[in-house]
Amino acid sequence: MSSIPGQNDRVLSGMRPTGQLHLGHYHGVLKNWIKLQHEYQCYFFVADWHALTTHYEDPSIIANSVWDMVIDWLACGINPGNATLFIQSRVPEHAELHLLLSMMTPLGWLERVPSYKDQQEKLKEKDLATYGFLGYPLLQSADILMYKAGQVPVGEDQVAHVELTREVARRFNHLYGREPDFVDKAEAAAKKMGKKSAKLYRELRRRYQEQGDHEAIETARALLEEQQNITLGDRERLFGYLEGSGKIILPEPHALLTPTSKMPGLDGQKMSKSYNNTIYLRETPAAVEQKLRTMPTDPARVRRNDPGDPAKCPVWQLHKVYSNEAVLEEVQQGCRSAAIGCLDCKQHIIDAIHEELAPIQARAQEYIKDPDMVRNIINEGSEKARDVARQTIDEVRQAMGLAYR
C-alpha cells in the first residue's frame, strides 16, 4: 500500500456530460462532492473525452451538455473556492499519460474489468467494439494518477477501476522507479532526517521487510509525513525504499466508497435517463408536479377507499428520501387504512422536491445570466489543473527516459 505525504488528502472525481442532470445525480454524486470539498483538496472535472467512448458517433450532446453541467454543479453548491473545476480536454496531458500507460498495461487487465462486458451488454444498440471503449478504464487511471489523488470517490461497481489504477501505478513504479544508485540516494535521504529519525526509520523498515510487520510500515509512513527538512523527491524515495521497491513516481490511490444513492425514479427503479423515470434539476415546478401526480402507485388501490401497501408503491420510496418520521407514520397508516388518497400522499413529495429544487434553480439562473463568470471559473480551474498535470507528466517522461532536455 504505497502513498506519498500530501497526496492522501487529494480527491479526484469526474462526470460525463451526456445530458441534463437530475435528482439522481444530485443525491448520488453532487451532495457527496459538496461534503468532500470541505474535507479534501478536490479536483472535479468534466469528463468530455470519456463521454466520447459511448457517444463518438454523435458528440453534439457532449458539447451542449458541458456548460449546462458546470452550471448545475455550481448551482448545487460546488464551490470553485474550495475545489478545482476543469474540463478534461483542456488538459491534454491526460491524453499523453493515457498513451504512455497504454504502452505498459497488459491487454488482459483491460479485458477483465467487470464493467467492460457489462456495459457492452447494456448498450447493445451502440457499436462499442472500439479501442476507446476498451481503454476507457486506463484513461480513468491516467486521470487519477495525473493528480496523484489519494482518494477516489466511487460506488461499489467502480472499485475495480480503482484497483486497476493501483495495479498500473505499481507496474509503472516497478518498471521505471529504479533510478541509478537508488539505494545510495535513499540512504542519503534518510540521513537528512537527522540521526534519531533516520535510526527509527531504518528499524521500522527492517521490521516490515524481515517480519512483515504492517504496523511498522504505517508508523514509518507517519514518520515520513512529519519530516520538514527533506525534499519531495527524497520523500518519494524513502516511501519506495520502505517496501524494497524503487522510487514511487505514481502513488497508488484508494477507493473512497460513496454512500449508495437512495434516489429512486418515478417508477421505483434507480433514477436513470435510460429508464425515462427522472426529475431534472431545472425542470419547471409545473412539469415536476405533473410527473409526480401521474406516477404509478400501489396497483391494489384502484378506488379511493381501497387500502394499500406502501411497500408496493414507488411513491413510498420517495417518502423514505424526503419525509420525516411523523410524515412516514402518517403516510403508512393513511395508505393502509385508505384514510388518505394517493394524491394526498404525493403532495408531501411534491412540496419537498419543490423546496429542494427552488434554491438550486434560482442559483442556476444567476449563472445562466452570467456565462462569462462560468467560463472564467473553468478557465482558471483548467489552468490550475494543468499546472499540476505538467509537473506529473515531466516526472513520467524523465522516468521513462523521454525527457530530452
Side-chain angles (χ1 to χ4, degrees):
M1 186 186 294
S2 304
S3 58
I4 290 179
Q7 310 302 336
N8 277 336
D9 63 349
R10 188 175 288 177
V11 163
L12 185 286
S13 190
M15 192 181 292
R16 302 193 321 157
T18 55
Q20 299 178 65
L21 297 191
H22 51 68
L23 283 171
H25 294 115
Y26 177 60
H27 285 270
V29 178
L30 294 178
K31 285 176 76 173
N32 189 48
W33 283 11
I34 292 165
K35 177 175 177 285
L36 292 174
Q37 70 182 351
H38 298 296
E39 301 172 355
Y40 297 92
Q41 181 185 2
C42 291
Y43 288 78
F44 299 138
F45 70 99
V46 177
D48 52 344
W49 279 339
H50 282 294
L52 283 170
T53 60
T54 53
H55 291 75
Y56 64 87
E57 291 177 319
D58 182 13
S60 60
I61 189 173
I62 300 172
N64 294 335
S65 300
V66 167
W67 296 107
D68 276 342
M69 190 167 79
V70 172
I71 287 171
D72 284 341
W73 289 0
L74 297 169
C76 286
I78 305 301
N79 187 339
N82 294 329
T84 300
L85 311 183
F86 67 99
I87 296 175
Q88 184 183 33
S89 61
R90 292 277 190 92
V91 187
E93 286 78 6
H94 284 240
E96 181 177 350
L97 184 56
H98 176 220
L99 171 69
L100 295 176
L101 294 177
S102 74
M103 300 301 180
M104 43 130 291
T105 301
L107 189 60
W109 288 12
L110 298 174
E111 292 174 330
R112 75 166 191 247
V113 173
S115 60
Y116 176 58
K117 290 183 179 178
D118 179 56
Q119 287 294 305
Q120 281 190 320
E121 185 67 24
K122 286 182 179 178
L123 301 173
K124 284 181 178 178
E125 74 281 4
K126 294 180 179 289
D127 179 10
L128 298 180
T130 62
Y131 167 72
F133 186 73
L134 174 66
Y136 88 87
L138 190 60
L139 179 56
Q140 284 186 328
S141 295
D143 298 331
I144 297 164
L145 297 173
M146 182 66 75
Y147 301 94
K148 300 185 178 179
Q151 310 288 339
V152 185
V154 291
E156 289 186 8
D157 60 334
Q158 291 283 308
V159 169
H161 291 235
V162 180
E163 286 303 314
L164 171 69
T165 303
R166 290 171 58 82
E167 290 179 348
V168 168
R170 201 173 300 134
R171 181 172 171 83
F172 185 94
N173 293 330
H174 175 74
L175 290 172
Y176 305 114
R178 286 291 183 182
E179 56 186 341
D181 303 320
F182 170 73
V183 173
D184 291 342
K185 289 179 179 178
E187 286 291 342
K191 290 179 182 178
K192 295 176 186 176
M193 294 193 294
K195 285 186 178 180
K196 184 177 179 181
S197 293
K199 182 179 179 181
L200 177 59
Y201 169 84
R202 292 190 183 98
E203 171 59 20
L204 292 167
R205 176 177 179 271
R206 184 194 64 76
R207 281 166 47 193
Y208 172 70
Q209 293 198 356
E210 293 181 7
Q211 303 166 24
D213 186 340
H214 286 276
E215 186 176 330
I217 197 170
E218 292 303 324
T219 304
R221 288 191 181 113
L223 174 68
L224 289 176
E225 289 175 0
E226 296 170 359
Q227 300 305 307
Q228 301 295 322
N229 56 340
I230 57 175
T231 66
L232 179 60
D234 280 341
R235 192 175 280 117
E236 290 171 348
R237 287 184 186 93
L238 290 171
F239 267 83
Y241 193 43
L242 272 177
E243 301 180 35
S245 61
K247 176 181 176 182
I248 295 175
I249 302 159
L250 299 176
E252 297 174 30
H254 304 285
L256 184 62
L257 275 178
T258 59
T260 302
S261 175
K262 295 180 174 63
M263 189 63 209
L266 295 168
D267 56 0
Q269 299 184 82
K270 176 184 175 182
M271 186 172 284
S272 170
K273 282 177 285 189
S274 60
Y275 296 149
N276 194 30
N277 65 357
T278 56
I279 293 176
Y280 293 102
L281 296 183
R282 285 195 244 161
E283 281 200 77
T284 65
V288 170
E289 183 163 349
Q290 175 65 15
K291 282 186 173 183
L292 291 168
R293 289 175 71 88
T294 56
M295 70 180 288
T297 56
D298 179 0
R301 296 205 71 179
V302 178
R303 292 175 296 276
R304 166 66 176 77
N305 59 350
D306 289 333
D309 181 354
K312 297 178 181 178
C313 179
V315 182
W316 176 246
Q317 302 302 319
L318 290 172
H319 272 291
K320 289 194 285 187
V321 174
Y322 286 105
S323 299
N324 59 32
E325 289 298 323
V327 172
L328 289 173
E329 182 65 23
E330 174 191 336
V331 167
Q332 282 225 61
Q333 291 185 359
C335 179
R336 295 183 190 282
S337 65
I340 64 171
C342 292
L343 289 179
D344 299 320
C345 174
K346 290 175 177 178
Q347 191 59 50
H348 291 289
I349 301 301
I350 293 169
D351 294 341
I353 291 181
H354 282 336
E355 184 178 351
E356 181 172 61
L357 289 180
I360 293 174
Q361 294 181 352
R363 288 192 294 266
Q365 286 304 313
E366 294 176 11
Y367 289 112
I368 290 169
K369 292 175 184 176
D370 195 351
D372 287 343
M373 178 171 61
V374 178
R375 291 180 183 275
N376 286 339
I377 288 170
I378 289 297
N379 289 341
E380 290 175 12
S382 297
E383 278 304 309
K384 183 178 176 181
R386 196 167 187 197
D387 285 343
V388 177
R390 287 189 182 108
Q391 182 176 340
T392 299
I393 207 69
D394 279 349
E395 293 173 9
V396 167
R397 289 171 185 164
Q398 290 176 30
M400 297 182 75
L402 300 174
Y404 300 121
R405 62 180 188 276

